[in-house]
Amino acid sequence: MRRRAIAAALLALAVACATASAAEYVPMPGGRFASVLPADGKTAPAQVAPFALRTEPVTNAEFLAFVRRHPAWRRDRVPTVFADGRYLSQWAGPDTLGADALPAQPVTRVSWFAAQAYCASEHARLPSWYEWEMAAAADATRADARSDPAWRERVLDWYSRPSGHALPAIGGPPDLHGVRDLNGLVWEWVDDFNALLVGSDSRDQDGADKLKFCGAGAISMEQKENYATLMRIAMLSSLKATDTTANLGFRCARPIGETP
Amino acid sequence: MNRLLLLLCTLCLALPLHAADALPGDSVYQLPVTLTDQAGHAAPLAARRGQPQLVSMFYASCTMVCPMIIETMKATRHAAGDPAALKLLAVSFDPARDSVARLADYAGRHQLDPRWWTLARAEPAEVRPLAALLGVQYRQLPDGDFNHSSVLLLLDADGRVVARSTIIGRTDPDFVAAVRRLAGGRP
Amino acid sequence: MSTLLRTLLATASALAIAACSGKPDAATPTTGAAPPQAAAQSGIPGDFGPPQGAPIHAVLTSPPNVPPPIHRNYPAKVIVDLEVIEKEMPISEGVTYTYWTFGGTVPGSFIRVRQGDTVEFHLKNSPDSKMPHNIDLHGVTGPGGGAASSFTAPGHESQFTFKALNQGVYVYHCATAPVGMHIANGMYGLILVEPPEGMPKVDHEYYVMQGDFYTVGKYREKGHQAFDMDKAIDEKPTYVLFNGHEGALTGDKALTAKVGETVRLFVGNGGPNLVSSFHVIGEIFDTVRQEGGTVEQHNVQTTLIPSGGAAMVEFRTQVPGSYVLVDHSIFRAFNKGALGILKVDGPENKAIYSGKEVDSVYLGDRAEPNLHAVATAAKANAAGTLSKDDQIAAGKQLFTGTCSVCHQANGAGLPSVFPPLAKSDYVAKLAGKDKDALIAIPLHGLNGKVTVNGVEYDSVMPPMTQLTDDEVANILTYVLNSWDNPGGQVTKDEVTKVRATPAPAAGGEH
């Protein structure tokens, strides 16, 4: 009953909040997945329900359209509890992109709250870490290419590129699922970024943060060799929800069957 | 989940209303989240505006650290001189198990005086934004327990974070001093 | 860990009592300068009480410079502002690498404080950074050496405070996962904690820090090189370097001193993997504070510096010349870059040293890379217009960078160690009747006895695998046309052909 009411509310919302652009989402199969963060902190695989993923990261142009529809998310109006001082600072103005922010570039310098709000406007949400990690394991022909050194090299190649240069536009080659740019363009927010309880001093194998983190302690890193993914986790776990950085963007996800 | 989407999407509409009462931009009351307390009363988080608050997150099934969080909140209030104005709020990040009845039972067992204590639950999809706002990390394990960080926050009357402590199991003198300064308890 | 946990549970049960005491902190700052030996209020050795006077902003210096000595007789609050910057810099001539740095240099900025100082540390991570970083200072007493308190996302700043309780020179480094990679990318430096009475005065203090680097491409392979995790795990570095770059301490950037002066080197080793056998060719260390500790050792030739460790070495210069800093695991010096120069000027002192000196030709003009001739030759080769003169000009540059280390810039070699190439009967013989064997020397190396100009040599020349066919052709053409050698020309195609044939068996004599 309650669900029905909410669905109705969402429909009503669609009128107010509908996006002009038609972002493309593709279905992702879900299933059991050997995450670098075991579900129980030891070895349990992650269970991922089928979901739909946005094929491309959100661009400057798309985020600009969002900000124009929802001026509360303009950089000059957003409350500081939702975004830090660098929020959208690469744009020429609060509702103009300018020369340093091309329309087809992925939007960066967005906080977790802003990313959440944007995804809500597409009747979506941020992907969970497991959803994101599972999607990013694919290459052009395999759903899980992580054991291939070439996959790792591609990820690491981006890490070793200095970040002083302008970001490329979205639209890299599609993977098996038709998703683009998961690796090699920007960092991406995930919904549960603050669930990646990695000790801030990563050498504490025994979880010195057991005090800080109740229960089973900080998550131990499985597959240490898969440090390409580990570095992404280190990055996400360093963030607060208001943080924005020059290399951090996002894409959205939806539960299967709830697309409007 | 849907409820969160609704809330976040309407945030843009809600904000100008808050702006009317000049809610500061750095106030946690900017977040439109609804809390239900141990007596079953539902109210927006922002309804707590007006009095200083000591805030943390916990869950009732937690046997080790969470009781210490609750005890540390108690002890902090006492060490600051039992200021009458100070309210204490602990929000569960386990809404699936922490029903109103369970919160009431927990408050009873830990002898939490309802005059200043609130144990609260939020809708599942609203818990993570609230935790993000408060800077609490948590993660549910397959067995239903949680890994989580422990933090106490001191909010001023307008919901701004004045002080923060990660010391649990004893009182943090700096934090106690901040509470005393803000809430004006007996020395 | 479990001890901590038990302590926590114990304190939890005592909570009510502890919390009720509510006494204000006893520590009240004293005024005026206390003598350095003032009894520690805390009873902890090295704690000279609360900081006095106005806070001081620490002077940070880039390598090889060291901040000036501290002339202060009281403990102070010292503020350190260190920014993490990820940047592309040359690691060798024509080779770039993306370094992660503390303060924009490798090693990171040198920090100097006094024992008993309260250090307020601000770690800033540049907004342009891709990675989060933190800092573990080996001079900090506390969990993780500050690492847990300093985990910092790009565009953010962390602050933590510690008291420098122990004197000595300490390594600091980034401890973010994967730790080895952050260190391998250059995230290390030194912090000196001076004793209260200061350090004995010397004429020069320098900052030198060794590190090993792991690139996908070979040693000196041109272009941008990415980090290679497999090589790092196998502990097979491509480069072993002082101060992060080949040539950081040679040519114009050599360390300098005058005859009769005292020199103190703060020598660190960031690792991530190798232990350094630090040696200065032609000097004996008068004093070594091994591992940065307080015990002085005297008359030391080579001192071990562990990865994540440091030492202070001191000596007085006696004779002018160029003194070569090496890791005496010597292939690292001559084949992976672990070389630096201390240039000592002043009058000769034949009474102490009268022999023929090794002069400063070690990578002489490397500090100002000039590969213009090499580029010209490469272009001409591609266009099919390469002349012998182009080859000689390019070969000269390449020879300076690669060959002169052993064979010397003037081709004279080193007596009884490295055979001469100048007016060499060996070169002439091969050039005349077995050119392929000549070409094979740089390609495959040369082991075993050879006789050159009547003198027998028995050394090992490793294969110069980093050189392209082009470059080998140019170097050989340069050698053939220099120093009264018979002349001639070697083409790229000839080199390609020889490279395709298997290496000859050991033993240089044909």
Side-chain angles (χ1 to χ4, degrees):
Chain A
M1 200 53 208
R2 185 184 173 85
R3 273 186 89 80
R4 204 174 284 269
I6 290 168
L10 264 177
L11 258 173
L13 202 65
V15 181
C17 258
T19 56
S21 61
E24 194 189 340
Y25 286 72
V26 291
M28 303 291 289
R32 282 162 71 91
F33 178 72
S35 169
V36 299
L37 296 179
D40 59 352
K42 297 182 196 82
T43 54
Q47 290 287 348
V48 179
F51 65 104
L53 188 64
R54 211 176 192 276
T55 53
E56 288 168 342
V58 175
T59 62
N60 276 320
E62 289 165 334
F63 204 83
L64 177 66
F66 165 75
V67 165
R68 284 181 174 159
R69 282 195 311 277
H70 306 288
W73 287 101
R74 286 161 54 111
R75 71 181 189 203
D76 56 347
R77 297 193 193 165
V78 71
T80 54
V81 286
F82 294 140
D84 69 18
R86 288 197 194 83
Y87 174 65
L88 298 178
S89 58
Q90 76 277 29
W91 289 8
D95 61 354
T96 47
L97 297 185
D100 294 335
L102 304 176
Q105 280 173 340
V107 67
T108 58
R109 294 196 176 93
V110 282
S111 67
W112 181 84
F113 288 111
Q116 282 275 28
Y118 178 92
C119 287
S121 79
E122 280 190 2
H123 317 297
R125 54 175 172 78
L126 287 171
S128 72
W129 165 255
Y130 283 150
E131 288 169 345
W132 196 97
E133 186 189 10
M134 190 179 203
D139 69 2
T141 56
R142 291 162 295 186
D144 188 349
R146 292 176 299 168
S147 58
D148 184 347
W151 179 90
R152 196 178 71 184
E153 284 311 313
R154 205 158 50 83
V155 176
L156 293 176
D157 181 53
W158 181 66
Y159 294 167
S160 72
R161 239 176 289 150
S163 58
H165 310 304
L167 285 172
I170 61 162
D175 68 13
L176 174 76
H177 306 291
V179 178
R180 302 167 192 272
D181 304 322
L182 279 164
N183 289 307
L185 189 57
V186 284
W187 301 117
E188 294 184 17
W189 279 111
V190 295
D191 178 65
D192 51 350
F193 77 99
N194 61 349
L196 309 176
L197 301 184
V198 180
S200 47
D201 184 347
S202 60
R203 298 160 302 174
D204 293 326
Q205 300 292 324
D206 192 34
D209 283 320
K210 270 181 183 156
L211 285 181
K212 197 168 160 193
F213 304 136
C214 166
I219 291 160
S220 63
M221 295 281 191
E222 284 301 303
Q223 296 177 284
K224 274 201 165 41
E225 251 204 291
N226 200 346
Y227 68 105
T229 308
L230 197 141
M231 290 170 72
R232 182 172 287 271
I233 291 170
M235 172 62 192
L236 287 170
S237 70
S238 76
L239 297 168
K240 297 191 295 295
T242 52
D243 287 354
T244 69
T245 90
N247 292 291
L248 177 61
F250 70 102
R251 74 179 70 216
C252 312
R254 287 175 184 144
I256 286 273
E258 291 196 25
T259 48
Chain B
M1 205 60 190
N2 288 338
R3 196 175 156 81
L4 168 71
L5 304 190
L6 183 70
L7 278 169
L8 279 171
C9 193
T10 52
L11 186 58
C12 41
L13 306 172
L15 286 173
L17 296 180
H18 286 281
D21 4 341
L23 189 63
D26 54 354
S27 167
V28 302
Y29 298 143
Q30 295 278 1
L31 187 74
V33 52
T34 301
L35 300 181
T36 305
D37 68 15
Q38 71 269 41
H41 298 303
L45 173 66
R48 303 184 72 84
R49 190 177 175 188
Q51 284 178 303
Q53 311 272 331
L54 194 54
V55 181
S56 190
M57 294 185 80
F58 82 118
Y59 69 110
S61 327
C62 171
T63 53
M64 194 184 81
V65 170
C66 301
M68 286 165 53
I69 293 175
I70 300 294
E71 291 306 317
T72 308
M73 289 174 74
K74 269 189 193 172
T76 301
R77 178 179 182 274
H78 190 61
D82 297 317
L86 185 70
K87 301 295 177 191
L88 280 64
L89 169 68
V91 184
S92 168
F93 38 64
D94 189 11
R97 291 186 293 181
D98 288 348
S99 60
V100 167
R102 192 124 187 251
L103 294 178
D105 173 62
Y106 191 90
R109 278 190 290 116
H110 288 264
Q111 299 174 337
L112 306 182
D113 191 322
R115 281 175 296 174
W116 49 83
W117 265 102
T118 303
L119 299 185
R121 67 187 301 283
E123 286 306 306
E126 296 178 10
V127 176
R128 195 162 290 283
L130 181 64
L133 189 73
L134 301 178
V136 173
Q137 295 179 299
Y138 75 97
R139 167 189 183 84
Q140 187 157 25
L141 302 172
D143 64 6
D145 273 341
F146 287 79
N147 279 358
H148 64 94
S149 60
S150 304
V151 61
L152 301 189
L153 298 164
L154 176 64
L155 306 183
D156 72 8
D158 276 334
R160 284 176 291 220
V161 179
V162 178
R164 180 185 293 270
S165 176
T166 54
I167 294 177
I168 302 296
R170 61 185 168 84
T171 53
D172 174 346
D174 293 341
F175 191 68
V176 168
V179 172
R180 189 181 280 120
R181 271 196 305 277
L182 183 72
R186 311 177 262 106
Chain C
M1 187 52 240
S2 54
T3 319
L4 265 176
L5 207 55
R6 276 197 298 276
T7 313
L8 179 89
L9 291 169
T11 42
S13 57
L15 185 71
I17 305 160
C20 288
S21 72
K23 280 181 190 140
D25 274 352
T28 42
T30 54
T31 49
Q37 293 78 15
Q41 296 187 2
S42 60
I44 298 171
D47 183 355
F48 306 134
Q52 301 169 26
I56 293 164
H57 283 267
V59 176
L60 304 183
T61 57
S62 300
N65 299 312
V66 175
I70 295 167
H71 300 293
R72 180 156 40 80
N73 62 354
Y74 60 92
K77 180 179 195 173
V78 178
I79 297 166
V80 175
D81 277 301
L82 194 56
E83 185 183 16
V84 174
I85 300 166
E86 300 170 1
K87 64 196 278 200
E88 188 177 307
M89 292 188 281
I91 191 168
S92 183
E93 282 173 4
V95 190
T96 56
Y97 188 74
T98 302
Y99 292 88
W100 298 347
T101 73
F102 287 108
T105 56
V106 177
S109 305
F110 196 105
I111 305 165
R112 186 169 196 154
V113 299
R114 179 181 179 274
Q115 188 181 8
D117 280 350
T118 296
V119 181
E120 183 181 296
F121 209 100
H122 297 254
L123 186 72
K124 297 168 182 175
N125 191 357
S126 162
D128 287 332
S129 290
K130 268 189 178 151
M131 299 292 164
H133 300 285
N134 63 6
I135 191 166
D136 168 356
L137 295 123
H138 289 181
V140 169
T141 310
S149 314
S150 60
F151 192 46
T152 309
H156 290 81
E157 175 179 339
S158 297
Q159 180 189 326
F160 63 100
T161 301
F162 64 94
K163 193 163 270 189
L165 294 176
N166 298 70
Q167 62 158 295
V169 63
Y170 297 94
V171 168
Y172 66 79
H173 64 89
C174 181
T176 300
V179 181
M181 181 178 180
H182 282 254
I183 293 175
N185 283 346
M187 298 198 77
Y188 45 77
L190 292 181
I191 175 168
L192 171 66
V193 183
E194 275 194 14
E197 67 277 14
M199 304 189 64
K201 191 181 173 336
V202 291
D203 296 305
H204 299 278
E205 290 184 327
Y206 288 116
Y207 173 21
V208 176
M209 199 153 178
Q210 181 171 325
D212 24 306
F213 292 84
Y214 303 84
T215 61
V216 171
K218 288 179 294 191
Y219 176 63
R220 289 188 185 168
E221 190 169 311
K222 305 291 184 281
H224 186 76
Q225 291 296 334
F227 170 72
D228 188 323
M229 188 65 151
D230 292 328
K231 285 181 188 167
I233 291 171
D234 291 345
E235 304 192 14
K236 289 186 173 157
T238 326
Y239 294 86
V240 180
L241 301 171
F242 293 127
N243 289 4
H245 315 274
E246 215 176 3
L249 293 175
T250 60
D252 291 350
K253 295 177 189 163
L255 307 177
T256 56
K258 292 196 174 63
V259 167
E261 289 186 325
T262 46
V263 177
R264 177 182 294 136
L265 303 179
F266 296 99
V267 191
N269 185 5
N273 289 320
L274 301 188
V275 170
S276 175
S277 301
F278 184 72
H279 176 80
V280 177
I281 298 174
E283 270 298 349
I284 296 159
F285 303 138
D286 299 327
T287 303
V288 174
R289 284 176 59 179
Q290 206 178 11
E291 296 168 1
T294 34
V295 175
E296 291 192 347
Q297 168 77 293
H298 298 289
N299 304 317
V300 175
Q301 56 188 314
T302 300
T303 190
L304 272 183
I305 304 177
S307 174
M312 289 177 244
V313 308
E314 292 170 24
F315 51 88
R316 178 179 290 275
T317 59
Q318 308 288 3
V319 176
S322 288
Y323 295 86
V324 186
L325 284 60
V326 295
D327 178 342
H328 215 294
S329 295
I330 207 70
F331 275 104
R332 298 176 190 167
F334 297 116
N335 300 80
K336 293 183 175 177
L339 273 178
I341 302 278
L342 170 69
K343 203 163 180 305
V344 177
D345 288 328
E348 295 279 356
N349 187 342
K350 299 284 185 191
I352 292 177
Y353 184 79
S354 66
K356 184 177 170 184
E357 285 177 43
V358 176
D359 70 15
S360 61
V361 292
Y362 280 108
L363 313 183
D365 59 358
R366 300 189 47 84
E368 288 297 323
N370 178 4
L371 287 179
H372 181 68
V374 177
T376 305
K379 212 178 285 173
N381 189 39
T385 60
L386 182 69
S387 73
K388 191 164 146 185
D389 287 346
D390 287 339
Q391 278 195 285
I392 291 171
K396 183 174 183 180
Q397 291 296 340
L398 292 160
F399 185 91
T400 306
T402 303
C403 316
S404 69
V405 169
C406 298
H407 293 292
Q408 306 301 304
N410 60 3
L414 277 184
S416 76
V417 185
F418 303 126
L421 302 179
K423 206 171 184 176
S424 161
D425 60 357
Y426 191 81
V427 170
K429 185 177 73 179
L430 293 185
K433 62 175 203 190
D434 194 356
K435 207 164 156 189
D436 285 356
L438 182 69
I439 294 168
I441 294 173
L443 286 180
H444 302 309
L446 191 60
N447 298 341
K449 287 181 185 167
V450 292
T451 304
V452 181
N453 296 350
V455 180
E456 191 174 85
Y457 295 84
D458 188 2
S459 318
V460 177
M461 171 170 161
M464 299 292 137
T465 49
Q466 77 278 12
L467 297 173
T468 63
D469 293 350
D470 229 348
E471 291 171 335
V472 169
N474 294 344
I475 288 172
L476 289 173
T477 303
Y478 167 68
V479 170
L480 289 174
N481 292 281
S482 304
W483 317 305
D484 297 329
N485 282 330
Q489 192 170 4
V490 174
T491 68
K492 183 189 171 194
D493 291 344
E494 286 172 314
V495 178
T496 307
K497 195 187 82 195
V498 175
R499 195 190 288 275
T501 60
E509 291 288 25
H510 287 254

